[in-house]
Amino acid sequence: MELDPPVKLPVSDCLLSDAINQSKDCAVSHGFVFRTFENPTSSDTVMCGPHALLPAPIPRKYFHQLADVQIYINELLYLISKDYDFIRETLKSAAVSDDFTGRLLKILETILEEGIADAGVLALLRSDYLLDGSTDEMLPKMVEINTIASSLGAVTTNLTLVHRYTTQLLGGRCDVEKSLPTNNHIEKYSKAFVKAWEVYNTPKAAIVFVVSTTERNVFDQRLLEFEVKKINWDIPVKRITLLDIGSKGKLSGDRRLIVDGTEVAIVYYRDGYVPSHFKSETEWNAVLLAARSRAICCPNVSLHLAGTKKVQQAIAKPGMVERFISNPDKVKAIRATFTGQYSLDIGAEGDKAIAMAIASPEKFVMKPNKEGGGNNIYGVDIRTKLLEIQNTSERNAYILMDRIFPVTVPGYKVVSSTELPKLQNMVSEFGMFGALVSDKNDVVLNEYSGHLVRTKVNGVDEGGVAAGASALDTPFLI
Ligand code: ADP
Ligand code: MG
């Protein structure tokens, strides 16, 4: 299934070249920039982010449907994260062969034994969807829900304006504004930070962004920091590494987290979500220390675990959303976005799924219990991998998912190059951000918080922006 782009394509080389230059100027003028690959520790040189020249079409009703369902998804993930037995039960088989999951579970066990101290919850999520191109309806189908370091929403905010400009430049309709929804991600996420900081309720305590020192995507983080300051200049906002927390952090008698003399109200992880972020035990000490403290970790360890592929596969089973959410309308709305997911765990159910995948590997995606892109297995590689691991416990660390064959749209990708891009068939992944804040007892904020689109060339399996496969994009409502 193919959708028409917002303007008639292809365009002449001359027009394309001009549009690309203008698009880059407009993007850079509005802060759509990243640090360079050569110098990821400094802001002395920056580069325009990779982006689609034109916005990505999505039926208007689906865009609103996904924005509306986000608050139910926030609630679902929040409730899952409170069900420690469910999380433990769902992940115990994976923990045997997946050390990263195992360590996080161990931290959860430790804090459950000690008694959970945190002052509340700050959940900043993003649900990602593809439009299923296998039927005329083009229904949106969920790829995953991210519960940690859901990024790129802030830096892409002004891409809406860039796309308004490029669409008009290339002869798009003049009522284009109605098709390009404003993205209030920065305001919404910053509001959630401030709300969670108020829940912590200690004026001198800081909101801490846990970051890597080599971060190309630094402005995406900084825009949120600056916006928090704009809301309340008295809130201390700091950037700290896991290594700093692990080596200099300590807990006070009443389990306040103190790093370098600063009390920490919020620990916002933009690092620490893949094994390679943990170079030594010191980084793990940081996560353990923060988890044991009164500080509100975003995410806390159980919410982090709730975002794993294994938990999401478990939730997709019949009756499981209902376990957490009683309102049938909410359940229906969430379920409508799901696609089939199957356990590969040792046992009869897993054996059945393995047989199914070996027989028709092209119909599935095999996912390890990992984050960060570039991990999934597709096509005949699924068969090879399953034949290799089917008699080992390693299979427990994967899940199987129905492959979505997304709608394609012809388009151009604007990257840092002097060569003109080719017109290619693109697929877009639509991300919906959500924010939820609770104190010890009640949810005090639950919102949809803006969106993100990532577009890649059709046929490229993985969609990472950092890895260079994806271009950032915006939705064009049709
Ligand atoms: P990660 O945590 O690595 O981001 P994802 O589940 O988002 O894991 O998978 C990475 C990419 O793989 C997605 O961005 C999407 O392009 C592709 N993908 C994931 N699941 C499916 C699926 N069921 N069908 C088709 N493509 C998928
Ligand atoms: Mg993903």
Side-chain angles (χ1 to χ4, degrees):
M1 176 77 60
E2 189 175 305
L3 278 174
D4 288 334
V7 302
K8 206 167 153 28
L9 298 179
V11 294
S12 70
D13 281 0
C14 179
L15 196 53
L16 180 62
S17 169
D18 179 51
I20 283 175
N21 288 332
Q22 298 227 37
S23 183
K24 286 181 182 171
D25 280 352
C26 188
V28 172
S29 305
H30 291 91
F32 180 66
V33 289
F34 291 74
R35 283 184 180 160
T36 61
F37 289 99
E38 297 75 31
N39 205 354
T41 56
S42 150
S43 302
D44 283 343
T45 47
V46 295
M47 60 185 278
C48 182
H51 60 284
L53 182 61
L54 293 162
I58 175 171
R60 187 179 298 269
K61 64 176 179 198
Y62 292 155
F63 180 81
H64 292 301
Q65 173 200 335
L66 299 179
D68 290 347
V69 81
Q70 189 55 41
I71 56 170
Y72 306 150
I73 290 174
N74 295 344
E75 185 184 343
L76 174 66
L77 269 286
Y78 170 72
L79 294 170
I80 295 170
S81 77
K82 297 266 180 201
D83 191 336
Y84 307 116
D85 287 341
F86 173 72
I87 288 184
R88 279 191 285 211
E89 195 51 36
T90 307
L91 289 171
K92 74 172 185 227
S93 62
V96 176
S97 52
D98 171 3
D99 186 49
F100 191 70
T101 306
R103 291 205 73 150
L104 289 171
L105 263 183
K106 188 116 185 290
I107 293 175
L108 180 63
E109 295 298 346
T110 307
I111 61 172
L112 285 175
E113 264 166 44
E114 200 178 19
I116 287 185
D118 55 23
V121 172
L122 170 61
L124 297 176
L125 314 179
R126 196 188 70 226
S127 321
D128 292 332
Y129 305 88
L130 292 167
L131 296 181
D132 176 10
S134 67
T135 69
D136 288 350
E137 282 177 287
M138 299 181 291
L139 289 173
K141 290 290 169 197
M142 187 188 285
V143 170
E144 66 157 344
I145 302 167
N146 302 281
T147 62
I148 186 161
S150 315
S151 63
L152 293 165
V155 78
T156 35
T157 294
N158 282 331
L159 203 52
T160 306
L161 190 144
V162 176
H163 279 158
R164 187 174 175 201
Y165 191 71
T166 52
T167 308
Q168 190 183 49
L169 196 70
L170 292 176
R173 304 190 320 253
C174 54
D175 62 346
V176 63
E177 192 165 6
K178 277 193 237 140
S179 307
L180 290 166
T182 24
N183 197 353
N184 51 11
H185 176 73
I186 298 176
E187 293 79 3
K188 290 283 187 184
Y189 260 26
S190 306
K191 187 174 124 191
F193 277 118
V194 173
K195 194 82 187 163
W197 179 81
E198 286 167 0
V199 164
Y200 188 85
N201 197 19
T202 302
K204 65 178 189 331
I207 298 178
V208 162
F209 280 51
V210 180
V211 294
S212 150
T213 46
T214 50
E215 180 58 82
R216 290 192 54 235
N217 190 21
V218 64
F219 309 113
D220 187 53
Q221 304 165 351
R222 305 239 58 184
L223 283 163
L224 297 173
E225 295 170 44
F226 301 141
E227 187 67 23
V228 167
K229 297 297 280 184
K230 279 201 251 168
I231 297 173
N232 181 349
W233 285 96
D234 293 331
I235 302 178
V237 182
K238 300 205 163 189
R239 296 170 63 78
I240 303 185
T241 60
L242 278 175
L243 215 51
D244 276 340
I245 299 178
S247 56
K248 298 181 201 154
K250 56 181 194 311
L251 291 191
S252 69
D254 58 352
R255 283 162 78 179
R256 289 170 190 271
L257 175 63
I258 315 287
V259 183
D260 252 350
T262 300
E263 180 174 344
V264 180
I266 311 288
V267 180
Y268 173 51
Y269 289 108
R270 290 294 291 256
D271 196 32
Y273 52 89
V274 294
S276 63
H277 295 166
F278 294 82
K279 303 254 174 344
S280 69
E281 283 304 302
T282 311
E283 286 88 348
W284 280 113
N285 288 341
V287 175
L288 176 62
L289 198 67
R292 291 180 56 221
S293 78
R294 284 179 48 135
I296 299 177
C297 295
C298 178
N300 61 38
V301 65
S302 59
L303 184 63
H304 184 173
L305 289 167
T308 55
K309 309 286 186 281
K310 293 283 282 189
V311 169
Q312 292 180 25
Q313 175 266 315
I315 289 301
K317 281 195 215 159
M320 287 311 291
V321 178
E322 293 83 342
R323 172 177 167 150
F324 297 97
I325 301 218
S326 51
N327 180 320
D329 293 334
K330 291 185 188 177
V331 172
K332 202 169 150 208
I334 295 170
R335 282 219 157 269
T337 67
F338 284 1
T339 188
Q341 297 198 47
Y342 316 89
S343 166
L344 294 172
D345 280 7
I346 292 173
E349 195 191 328
D351 287 348
K352 208 172 129 197
I354 288 183
M356 189 168 77
I358 287 177
S360 318
E362 70 288 350
K363 290 188 185 153
F364 301 98
V365 178
M366 187 173 153
K367 299 187 179 186
N369 208 37
K370 292 199 176 98
E371 290 303 310
N375 303 307
N376 297 343
I377 304 173
Y378 300 86
V380 286
D381 294 345
I382 297 181
R383 182 182 287 146
T384 312
K385 185 72 186 176
L386 283 174
L387 290 172
E388 182 193 316
I389 65 169
Q390 63 179 337
N391 297 318
T392 73
S393 61
E394 196 190 331
R395 63 188 249 189
N396 297 347
Y398 290 85
I399 62 113
L400 191 71
M401 184 173 185
D402 285 339
R403 182 159 186 173
I404 307 158
F405 292 93
V407 167
T408 63
V409 185
Y412 298 103
K413 198 163 120 178
V414 182
V415 295
S416 173
S417 162
T418 48
E419 265 175 49
L420 276 187
K422 286 198 292 282
L423 184 65
Q424 286 175 297
N425 269 336
M426 310 294 232
V427 304
S428 296
E429 192 167 326
F430 296 86
M432 294 292 171
F433 289 100
L436 182 146
V437 180
S438 86
D439 58 22
K440 276 272 186 205
N441 307 305
D442 298 311
V443 172
V444 293
L445 179 148
N446 182 8
E447 291 183 338
Y448 153 69
S449 350
H451 51 262
L452 169 79
V453 184
R454 288 165 302 158
T455 293
K456 62 180 182 180
V457 174
N458 187 29
V460 175
D461 286 330
E462 292 279 333
V465 172
S470 270
L472 292 157
D473 206 345
T474 64
F476 185 81
L477 310 188
I478 53 170

